[in-house]
Each structure stands twice: as C-alpha cells, then as structure tokens.
Amino acid sequence: MSHRRMKRVLVTGALGQIGSELVEWLREKHGDGNVIASDKKDDPPAAIRDNDPFAALDVTDARALADLCRTHRIDTIYHLAAILSGVGEQKPDIAYHVNMNGLKNVLDVARDLEMARVMVPSSIAVFGPNAPKWNTPQECELRPASMYGVTKVAGELLCDYYWKKYGLEVRGVRYPGLISHKTPPGGGTTDYAVAIYYDAIRHGRYTCFVREDTVLPMMYMPDALRSLVELAGAPADRLRYRNAYNIAALSFSAGELAASIRDHVPGFEVSYEPDFHQQIAEGWPHSIDDSAAREDWGWAPEYDLERMTADMLAALRKRLNPVESHARGEG
Ligand code: NAD
Ligand code: SER
C-alpha cells in the first residue's frame, strides 16, 4: 500500500455558484473526507454537508483560516470566496476587503504551511475599457474601471509575487461569465445570462439589465470546472502565465442568447432595461484569445451556445417544473 500523503483540499466560498459544483467534482477525485468545504454562510445544503466536512469560515479572519488549515492538514486551496462585480460596485469597501485581504490571508497560510497548490480564479474583469474588445489578448493593458476589476488585477499581481518570492504554486484562469443551473450566481454583471433561463421557464418573459446588443464572453459550468482542475494538474514547466490564463468558450449578445432560448420556448419575450451593470459590461471584452491556455495545458471548451441552452433548459425544467418535464420525456 502506498504511504504517499493523501491530498487534503480546502475550498473557500464553497456555497457559491462555482464552489457548490466544484466541491462535488473534487470529492469524487480526491475521495471522501479529503475535501473540506467552507463559506462565510453557514447553511450548506445536504449535498455539501452530508458525510464530508463543512466549516463556517470568513476568509478575512486570518487566524480562523490558519487554524482550519492546520486542523485538517490542508495542502491545496481552491480560493473562491469573493465579492463579484455588481455587488462590488455597490459595496466597494467590502469588495476590496474580501477580495484583497481574504486573498492575502490565503496566500500567507499556504506559504507558511508549505502547501502544494493554491487555485485562484481571476476574471475578464481585469480588462478595462482600453483593452482590445475582440479576441482580447493574454497580454495587454489591464486598467479596469470597476472595483471588482481592480481587485482582480491586484490579485493576479499578488499571486505572481508569492510565486516569484516564495515559490508558492498559485494558478488560475480568467473566467468569462459563467452559466449554470445548480446554484444561482452571486451578484455579477453576467448574472443576466443565467437569470434569463430561469425566467424563460417560470414566466415565459424576462427583463434584461443590459442592452440587447451587449456581447460578453461566457462559458458553461462543466467547461469552467474542468478548466480549473486541468490547470491544477498541468505540468509546472509548461506554464508561462500561471495564475492568469485567458480562457474562452462562447461569445454572444443578450439578444442572441434570447433567440437561442426562443428556439425551445416559443413566444419567449425579452425586454431590455439597462441599469448600472451596463457600464461595467461596456468595460469588458466581447471575446477572448485563449491561445496560450490551449498551447500550454491543452485547454479546449466542449459546449457551444446550442448545446448549453438545451442542457440548461432541460435541467431547469426538471427542477422547476417536474410534472411538465416528465410529460416531455425529459426524465
Ligand atoms: P459567488 O458569489 O457565487 O460565491 C462566492 C461565495 O463566497 C459565496 O458563497 C459567499 O458566501 C462567499 N463569501 C463571500 N465573502 C466571504 C468571506 N469573507 N469569507 C468566506 N466566504 C465568503 O461567486 P462564484 O461565481 O462562485 O465565484 C468564485 C470565484 O470565481 C471568484 O473569485 C470570482 O471572482 C471568480 N469568477 C466567477 C465568475 C462567474 O461568472 N461566476 C466569472 C469570473 C470569475
Ligand atoms: N461573472 C463575473 C461578474 O460578472 C465576471 O467575473 O462579476
């Protein structure tokens, strides 16, 4: 029998849109009891809580974080606790505190306990209004206009610093807007691209908070989870960018998204009432050049818009409308 030490993983922000699904992936990969889910919220659903450890943890509390990591002999952290762009623009002080001080606490404890890996998602929000809009390159001017974007750029630089100064293996991708059906998003600018599916099923109509011609890069959650896990396992000597890889899958306007849903929900109506999110969206790219991720660690998305829409609607119909979906033969 191998005496190699088992990987012990901590996920922060585990009750959010990404964490709630990533924890299940990681538990399948690393085995029962080896993936500790944590979040500031202390009300985990049964799927996260049952049989495996869950801890209420505020990442801005450095001592509590260090105690938890020592107790569970953590050697890898997936750091997902953050305040996203929409909420961050309304509460910039909190966004700065959580996104910067929370990240620094995570990097400090990982360095002090000589952890093997820290995975930290960045975002397309690092790009500002002056970056090229189409096929935005891996390397270009990063001067974002939102507080969220400011913390994401600073976070990338902080992660670089810990790698160069302490040799801490910190990796991450710049996620586009993520679309999923399990846990609603937590207050980002791209949340409309999720809410539109829920409202299509529940009400047959949706009021969108960005303009119809707003084009943003997006990705379906299975691709997003796979990207992070694949990057975590990529050979170190292949990585040129480490914590800030551009990754891409889809780019569409709000109107094109509505049309793809209308193919499955005849008569679906969308009206457009842009609010403060519009300005944030206008500072972001329309599409992303992810050639470095493809070359360095073999990144490739699997879902296009049609496949994602079919999957989203089938999953939501099953959950929100079980009787109707059974009648359609959707399980
Ligand atoms: P989310 O808002 O859905 O979840 C974040 C979680 O963090 C929430 O459960 C929240 O309770 C928790 N949290 C907030 N403050 C905390 C604190 N002080 N201590 C501990 N937990 C705290 O976010 P998400 O979509 O799952 O995003 C995870 C990461 O991915 C973030 O870094 C985010 O910037 C990045 N990202 C997400 C997207 C996306 O579209 N979802 C896109 C780009 C980047
Ligand atoms: N989906 C995220 C947001 O809108 C992008 O980082 O905040």
Side-chain angles (χ1 to χ4, degrees), residues 13 15-19 39-41 57-60 80-84 98 121-123 148 152 175-178 184-186 190:
L15 301 188
Q17 187 190 7
I18 301 175
D39 201 287
K40 189 176 178 181
K41 290 187 269 188
L57 172 75
D58 182 334
V59 291
T60 64
L80 305 180
I83 305 296
L84 274 74
V98 174
S122 186
S123 163
Y148 176 69
K152 285 295 176 187
Y175 275 136
L178 301 184
T190 56

Side-chain angles (χ1 to χ4, degrees), residues 65-109:
L65 172 64
D67 287 349
L68 186 69
C69 289
R70 282 204 186 85
T71 304
H72 290 280
R73 292 177 291 107
I74 298 298
D75 71 2
T76 300
I77 299 180
Y78 283 75
H79 177 47
L80 305 180
I83 305 296
L84 274 74
S85 61
V87 175
E89 224 33 41
Q90 292 169 317
K91 299 178 181 169
D93 292 348
I94 294 177
Y96 185 89
H97 182 50
V98 174
N99 295 4
M100 295 312 309
N101 296 328
L103 173 62
K104 181 154 188 309
N105 290 341
V106 164
L107 296 174
D108 283 342
V109 73

Side-chain angles (χ1 to χ4, degrees), residues 46-179:
I48 296 258
R49 184 192 58 220
D50 290 354
N51 307 320
D52 280 295
F54 173 84
L57 172 75
D58 182 334
V59 291
T60 64
D61 183 342
R63 179 174 294 189
L65 172 64
D67 287 349
L68 186 69
C69 289
R70 282 204 186 85
T71 304
H72 290 280
R73 292 177 291 107
I74 298 298
D75 71 2
T76 300
I77 299 180
Y78 283 75
H79 177 47
L80 305 180
I83 305 296
L84 274 74
S85 61
V87 175
E89 224 33 41
Q90 292 169 317
K91 299 178 181 169
D93 292 348
I94 294 177
Y96 185 89
H97 182 50
V98 174
N99 295 4
M100 295 312 309
N101 296 328
L103 173 62
K104 181 154 188 309
N105 290 341
V106 164
L107 296 174
D108 283 342
V109 73
R111 174 200 57 199
D112 294 348
L113 299 184
E114 298 180 2
M115 291 189 194
R117 284 271 187 295
V118 183
M119 301 302 295
V120 182
S122 186
S123 163
I124 53 162
V126 295
F127 300 110
N130 296 334
K133 289 282 177 207
W134 291 101
N135 224 19
T136 307
Q138 176 71 43
E139 294 193 69
C140 63
E141 183 180 303
L142 303 181
R143 306 284 290 186
S146 68
M147 175 54 90
Y148 176 69
V150 168
T151 66
K152 285 295 176 187
V153 174
E156 289 185 0
L157 294 173
L158 196 62
C159 293
D160 275 350
Y161 183 82
Y162 276 67
W163 160 245
K164 287 182 189 141
K165 181 142 180 114
Y166 307 115
L168 181 64
E169 189 68 63
V170 194
R171 301 181 181 185
V173 291
R174 289 174 178 154
Y175 275 136
L178 301 184
I179 296 176

Side-chain angles (χ1 to χ4, degrees), residues 223-301:
D223 279 337
L225 299 178
R226 190 169 48 76
S227 71
L228 207 56
V229 173
E230 284 179 1
L231 177 59
D237 59 0
R238 299 290 307 275
L239 303 182
R240 285 174 290 168
Y241 296 99
R242 213 153 227 103
N243 67 69
Y245 272 99
N246 278 8
I247 54 168
L250 316 162
S251 280
F252 46 74
S253 67
E256 287 165 337
L257 176 59
S260 88
I261 295 173
R262 204 168 289 118
D263 286 345
H264 300 259
V265 183
F268 177 47
E269 287 174 24
V270 181
S271 56
Y272 298 88
E273 292 179 10
D275 63 13
F276 72 96
H277 294 96
Q278 184 69 42
Q279 196 183 350
I280 302 176
E282 281 173 15
W284 292 358
H286 298 319
S287 66
I288 298 287
D289 171 12
D290 62 358
S291 48
R294 289 173 184 264
E295 284 161 24
D296 290 6
W297 46 279
W299 161 247

